[in-house]
Amino acid sequence: MSKYRSAPTLDDVAKAAGVSTATVSRCLNTPQQVVEATRERVLSAVDSLGYTPNFAARVMAAKRSFTIGAIIPTMENAIFARGLQAFQEEIRKQGFTLLVSSSAYQPEAEEDQIRTLVARGADGLLLIGHDREARIYDYLDRQKVPTLVAWSYLPDKPIPSVGFDNRKAMKALANQVIGLGHTRLATISGISKGNDRARLRIQGIRDAMTEHGLPQDGLTVSETSYEIENGAEVFENLMLRDPPPTAVLCGNDVLAVGAVRQAQQMGLRVPEDVSITGFDDIELARIVSPALTTVHVPHREMGRKAAQELIHMIETSSEGHSIELSTNVVTRDSLLESNR
Amino acid sequence: MSKYRSAPTLDDVAKAAGVSTATVSRCLNTPQQVVEATRERVLSAVDSLGYTPNFAARVMAAKRSFTIGAIIPTMENAIFARGLQAFQEEIRKQGFTLLVSSSAYQPEAEEDQIRTLVARGADGLLLIGHDREARIYDYLDRQKVPTLVAWSYLPDKPIPSVGFDNRKAMKALANQVIGLGHTRLATISGISKGNDRARLRIQGIRDAMTEHGLPQDGLTVSETSYEIENGAEVFENLMLRDPPPTAVLCGNDVLAVGAVRQAQQMGLRVPEDVSITGFDDIELARIVSPALTTVHVPHREMGRKAAQELIHMIETSSEGHSIELSTNVVTRDSLLESNR
DNA sequence: AGCAAATATGTAAGCGCTTGCATTTATGAT
DNA sequence: ATCATAAATGCAAGCGCTTACATATTTGCT
């Protein structure tokens, strides 16, 4: 029976309540504009019919969706989870809904998803990092969709960013490593192409080396994708070199965990035989043993501030401005002074 | 300048290409219906104008969105990440887009998000577990949105499910624990209200106890929310009891990791002093030391099959049928025979 | 060359909602 | 009571697209 009855529309409600569709619409959107008696009648009709507004129609008519889209590189690990959760909580508080897509670190998939989200009427977009084709920025500009970047802070870019200075953050950590006497360094980085964060973190290590007068060839750089297994695999190759590095700085905690596990597999003690550091300070960093010395990122604060800034851009059609958050090195057990 | 030009519409493209809007629409949706010469002209117009179809309008006209919505309890930990990623990969392969929301384990938030997704024209919905208000099922029925449940397998429920038998799975693990001589058991469960998986897992432990002739009061049940800290906190209370349990079966790996860490904090050796088990077999389970004995869930298979089944339901407007996946206990280091 | 059948394109009617403007009804000061 | 003013409601024009159905063009036969 219910099979042949289709979802009620505004019109059905209007008929049932004996008013015009305009009045029903007002009851739902600007209730103070309709007198109490009418409103009650309408709402009870809404109720008894089980009416829910059709979103597509509403977006089309109102040209506003109260939806914000976010595209993150991955959902598979926790790197973006905490920040995104905070982002969602904040926008929800302000009456917006979040739509999330994951690009699996594939630029084409990301472009696709940006278009999908925009076509869907997203009022604003949250993107991770600045690296992407100019074409996409043109598109965003033409469509006039307020867009904000997070997990990076590069105030000179055309799109405002709420995040931290990846280069400076990694430099601080590298300084600490070098300060402990390490001179043969290696880094296991994410793929730096199309990933400003990965690239800048490597740069940060170089900065610290230069500052301490270490030659640049004291650093071995390996790039791989962000999974535990990859961290392990690359670490193994690294340690087979002669001489092996005494400290391995990983592009994130996930890679670092892979490295730690591989070290154990190889019978190497961390940190006595080799120091390993992470980046991000996700939960994993405290769970692995030895616990990781890593760079703490204020994920929740970043998520919250990004939400506020983006909504502000949407509401005021203003340009938006970048916000820098600070990171700090958290010292745990995976980093020790060099013994060679 | 671009500020005053707004996004091009189908009509603009039609004018530019010198054809009707119908033809443009066909070029985009059923290109084989339009002759090559025309098609080229149209596509180049699309291109030079940078046209992107307006999704809301398209959904409204076509009554089809090629979008599938998924609502998961949390993005904060990895429990649903892997399965969801597989789900997304599969539906993407079939031309659908995934929209994800997280309910933060709050039923009202979930209801809200279901309505949002439906109103947005989702062609189908993926939900986790069966427990929710009847009103929601009525709504889904009335809106005729194909819906599938995952992470649970309860074929008698009105909504089909693709998942595993939580009760049976936990029973298998509990059998193993009891087989090792443990009689004083405790479980750290998620909040079971509104969570059939949590409830059934507890039930599974009871089943095993009954089968082995253990009295039901040999089990202490504590419920808390799914976070590492909570696992730790509850575990502490549990071990303060006199006598303490010799084995603690946790509702998931996250809680188990919290328990392991707390044990170490308290100077207890795992598994010599107390055994701890998890559930789900997420990455964490292998990273913590001792590695967790836990129940392995075929996350990726579940995600993929759920996607296939749901799309099948959508394409054929059929009822859909439930699929049971099997789990297995993976034996690692956190469970040992009882020494009392 | 001529005609029926097949193929390509155009016309226009919605899809369900919001909102500017016009109209009706209530309010309150005289 | 009366009338200007304010408050509540209705009317109807879109929003940008898809898709029957109608019309025009091409194709393949004889």
Side-chain angles (χ1 to χ4, degrees), chain A residues 324-335:
Chain A
E324 179 171 13
L325 304 176
S326 58
T327 56
N328 59 288
V329 175
V330 320
T331 304
R332 290 200 272 253
D333 313 325
S334 67
L335 169 64

Side-chain angles (χ1 to χ4, degrees), chain B residues 7 29 34 51 76 96 123 128 186 201 211 284 291 293 295 300 312:
Chain B
N29 301 306
V34 17
Y51 168 78
E76 282 236 29
F96 285 76
D123 291 337
I128 307 298
R201 290 177 195 178
E211 203 169 292
L284 224 51
T293 288
V295 175
R300 296 194 60 88
H312 183 255

